[in-house]
Amino acid sequence: MTETSDADKERNREIARNEEAKQVTGSIRVSTWAVAVVVIVGGILFTLGWLALGG
């Protein structure tokens, strides 16, 4: 019985490590998209401001 519970604990630890890795990867992906959106919106606003001032 002890061997089974030890195996279960190790399996749960491995699952937790995998989930943590997925979470980090997802966070990086979201952050990358957020930065890209900010750069694009900033570029559009800069261009509109530049044109409004007569370039």
Side-chain angles (χ1 to χ4, degrees):
M1 178 115 179
T2 305
E3 290 178 22
T4 303
S5 66
D6 288 345
D8 286 345
K9 286 180 184 177
E10 184 55 37
R11 181 175 176 270
N12 289 340
R13 285 187 196 107
E14 185 64 30
I15 290 169
R17 283 191 289 268
N18 290 340
E19 287 299 319
E20 184 180 3
K22 285 180 187 178
Q23 209 168 26
V24 169
T25 302
S27 296
I28 291 170
R29 188 175 296 132
V30 168
S31 297
T32 302
W33 274 107
V35 169
V37 167
V38 167
V39 168
I40 291 169
V41 169
I44 291 169
L45 292 176
F46 177 81
T47 302
L48 291 175
W50 183 267
L51 292 174
L53 292 174

